[in-house]
């Protein structure tokens, strides 16, 4: 039995490394690149399914395996990435594993059914993984009582159950540290790209976004340059804290009136840049609507203050294949035209 436990421990450590690698690298990739498509999840499902099959066959060869180690890539893939990973993982692993041993077949079917049942009732987290494992293992042992009695493997079964629970908890702890680390890194990454006053993208993030859209040469979009009119006089008459409130409110109204696939950043001071993913014909009504909404809402910030806030907007359409900075320069020229033409207006380059 000692030899069996030593081999099982070695196999378990290898399984832990495989599972952690299969989940952690895709998690970090998705977290920081935001490429969380269905295709990516399906690919991950195949990956964790193959990992489970590999762990199973290594355990068979060495006569030392834990059920929790075998199902852990699919289990944590499901926890982190959802049902596509679970479905593809189970299908892939079944092609290589199912039918090799009745012990595992009973266990795996019950385990994943319990896991799905808990998830559908909004019961998620490690505690329900443990519940699912406990239910599956109990039914597995009950269904093979005679075989265990004949072989005298009850002590090994109990020992493996304890090791399995410890293995799952160790993985949970490791992934918890991974989540904490990635969250802190993601926080600092976002902080470095976000304007602290308005919460929109800062100049560094604007430059990165413009570089990215320039690489998509056939992308159609329009550039807005939006500037708060007479902002210096607002600061002079009402103070900088009130001016900051105006800037913050304008940013919120812009974000509220564009789509999730559009972009807004604070270009500098009281000036904002907006990238609208649409043609010029569709963009112009949006720019005018934005101007009117800001004029109507910002002036309600403090009824006791007789402040009148308007914005001027310059609009330019990006020509596919041309440098993005030309569209930005054209929008800036249109903004200058709006300023010199009386302010509180939209002009097109």
């Amino acid at each position: 039995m000692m030899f069996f436990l030593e081999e099982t421990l070695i196999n378990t450590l290898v399984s832990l490394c495989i599972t952690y690698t299969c989940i952690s690298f895709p998690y970090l990739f998705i977290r920081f690149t935001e490429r969380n498509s269905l295709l990516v999840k399906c690919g991950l499902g195949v990956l964790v399914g193959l990992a489970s099959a590999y762990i199973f066959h290594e355990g068979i060869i060495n006569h030392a395996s834990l059920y929790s180690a075998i199902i852990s890539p699919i289990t944590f893939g499901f926890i982190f990435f959802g049902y596509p990973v679970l479905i593809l993982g189970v299908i892939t692993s079944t092609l290589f594993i199912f039918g090799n041993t009745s012990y595992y077949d009973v266990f795996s079917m019950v385990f994943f059914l319990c896991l799905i049942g808990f998830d559908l009732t909004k019961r998620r987290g490690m505690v329900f993984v443990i519940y699912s494992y406990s239910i599956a293992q109990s039914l597995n042992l009950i269904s093979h009582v005679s075989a265990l009695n004949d072989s005298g493997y009850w002590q090994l079964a109990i020992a493996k159950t304890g090791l399995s629970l410890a293995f799952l908890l160790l993985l949970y702890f490791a992934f918890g540290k991974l989540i904490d680390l990635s969250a802190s890194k993601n926080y600092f990454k976002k902080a470095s790209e976000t304007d602290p006053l308005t919460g929109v993208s800062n100049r560094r993030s604007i430059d990165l976004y413009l570089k990215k859209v320039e690489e998509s040469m056939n992308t159609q979009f329009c550039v807005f340059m939006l500037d708060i009119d007479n902002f210096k006089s607002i600061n002079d008459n009402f103070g900088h804290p009130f001016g900051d409130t105006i800037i913050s409110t304008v940013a919120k109204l812009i974000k509220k009136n564009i789509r999730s696939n559009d972009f807004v950043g604070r270009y500098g001071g009281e000036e904002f840049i907006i990238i609208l993913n649409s043609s010029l014909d569709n963009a112009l009504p949006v720019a005018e609507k934005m101007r009117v909404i800001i004029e109507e809402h910002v002036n309600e910030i403090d009824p006791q203050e007789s402040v009148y806030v308007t914005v001027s907007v310059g609009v330019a359409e990006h020509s596919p294949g041309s440098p993005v900075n030309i569209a930005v320069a054209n929008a800036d020229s249109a903004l200058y035209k709006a300023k010199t033409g009386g302010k509180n207006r939209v002009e097109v380059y």
Side-chain angles (χ1 to χ4, degrees):
M1 180 174 175
M2 287 303 298
F3 175 77
F4 174 82
L5 291 177
E6 288 175 4
E7 288 295 319
T8 300
L9 182 60
I10 294 171
N11 193 62
T12 299
L13 291 174
V14 172
S15 303
L16 189 148
C17 294
I18 291 172
T19 301
Y20 192 79
T21 302
C22 285
I23 304 301
S24 60
F25 281 100
Y27 174 77
L28 293 174
F29 173 79
I30 290 173
R31 188 73 185 268
F32 293 110
T33 64
E34 297 181 355
R35 296 179 182 177
N36 195 16
S37 65
L38 179 61
L39 183 61
V40 171
K41 291 181 178 180
C42 290
L44 284 174
V46 174
L47 175 65
V48 297
L50 291 173
S52 290
Y54 176 81
I55 293 170
F56 175 82
H57 287 295
E58 282 297 300
I60 293 296
I61 292 171
N62 298 315
H63 304 289
S65 63
L66 296 178
Y67 294 147
S68 64
I70 297 168
I71 52 88
S72 61
I74 301 174
T75 301
F76 286 96
F78 172 49
I79 292 173
F80 275 75
F81 307 111
Y83 280 98
V85 175
L86 173 66
I87 294 169
L88 267 296
V90 170
I91 292 173
T92 303
S93 64
T94 298
L95 294 175
F96 293 93
I97 295 175
F98 197 82
N100 285 291
T101 167
S102 60
Y103 286 89
Y104 177 73
D105 293 342
V106 172
F107 173 86
S108 60
M109 286 189 293
V110 175
F111 174 81
F112 287 119
L113 285 174
C114 288
L115 201 61
I116 293 170
F118 282 127
D119 186 78
L120 292 174
T121 56
K122 308 301 181 184
R123 294 179 173 89
R124 296 164 184 156
M126 192 60 200
V127 64
F128 297 105
V129 174
I130 300 297
Y131 286 163
S132 298
Y133 174 84
S134 300
I135 294 169
Q137 181 66 338
S138 297
L139 291 175
N140 186 37
L141 293 176
I142 292 170
S143 64
H144 294 91
V145 169
S146 58
L148 289 169
N149 286 332
D150 293 341
S151 61
Y153 281 171
W154 273 106
Q155 285 183 316
L156 287 176
I158 294 170
K160 287 177 68 174
T161 299
L163 282 173
S164 289
L165 291 173
F167 174 78
L168 289 172
L169 290 172
L170 183 61
L171 266 178
Y172 178 68
F173 175 78
F175 284 130
K177 292 298 181 183
L178 173 70
I179 293 170
D180 292 342
L181 179 63
S182 65
S184 62
K185 285 188 176 181
N186 199 45
Y187 170 80
F188 288 115
K189 178 178 179 288
K190 286 188 175 181
S192 69
E193 298 177 354
T194 303
D195 175 59
L197 175 62
T198 61
V200 301
S201 297
N202 61 14
R203 187 59 184 267
R204 176 178 180 272
S205 186
I206 292 169
D207 292 339
L208 290 172
Y209 184 83
L210 291 176
K211 183 179 179 181
K212 184 172 72 173
V213 297
E214 189 167 33
E215 293 172 353
S216 304
M217 299 300 287
N218 296 321
T219 303
Q220 183 182 44
F221 61 87
C222 289
V223 180
F224 295 1
M225 296 299 290
L226 183 149
D227 188 79
I228 302 173
D229 297 326
N230 305 313
F231 188 73
K232 184 179 182 302
S233 64
I234 293 174
N235 273 339
D236 292 342
N237 294 327
F238 303 102
H240 288 277
F242 185 80
D244 288 346
T245 302
I246 296 294
I247 292 174
S248 180
T249 303
V250 168
K252 289 177 182 176
L253 289 171
I254 294 173
K255 285 195 294 184
K256 188 176 180 181
N257 288 278
I258 60 175
R259 300 162 302 186
S260 58
N261 65 329
D262 296 324
F263 176 87
V264 57
R266 188 180 179 190
Y267 203 68
E270 68 277 14
E271 190 173 5
F272 295 88
I273 184 171
I274 300 144
I275 310 296
L276 205 73
N277 292 290
S278 63
S279 65
L280 184 62
D281 290 340
N282 293 325
L284 282 176
V286 175
E288 178 61 24
K289 177 185 176 184
M290 198 176 292
R291 181 195 67 79
V292 172
I293 288 174
I294 291 171
E295 181 180 12
E296 291 176 349
H297 285 75
V298 175
N299 296 320
E300 298 174 358
I301 291 177
D302 190 347
Q304 296 180 351
E305 298 282 6
S306 55
V307 59
Y308 181 60
V309 179
T310 61
V311 296
S312 298
V313 187
V315 181
E317 187 173 28
H318 171 253
S319 299
S322 66
V324 175
N325 60 358
I326 292 178
V328 175
N330 290 342
D332 202 46
S333 297
L335 175 62
Y336 178 78
K337 183 179 178 182
K339 289 286 191 182
T340 56
K343 302 178 182 178
N344 190 23
R345 59 196 296 162
V346 176
E347 289 288 350
V348 182
Y349 179 82

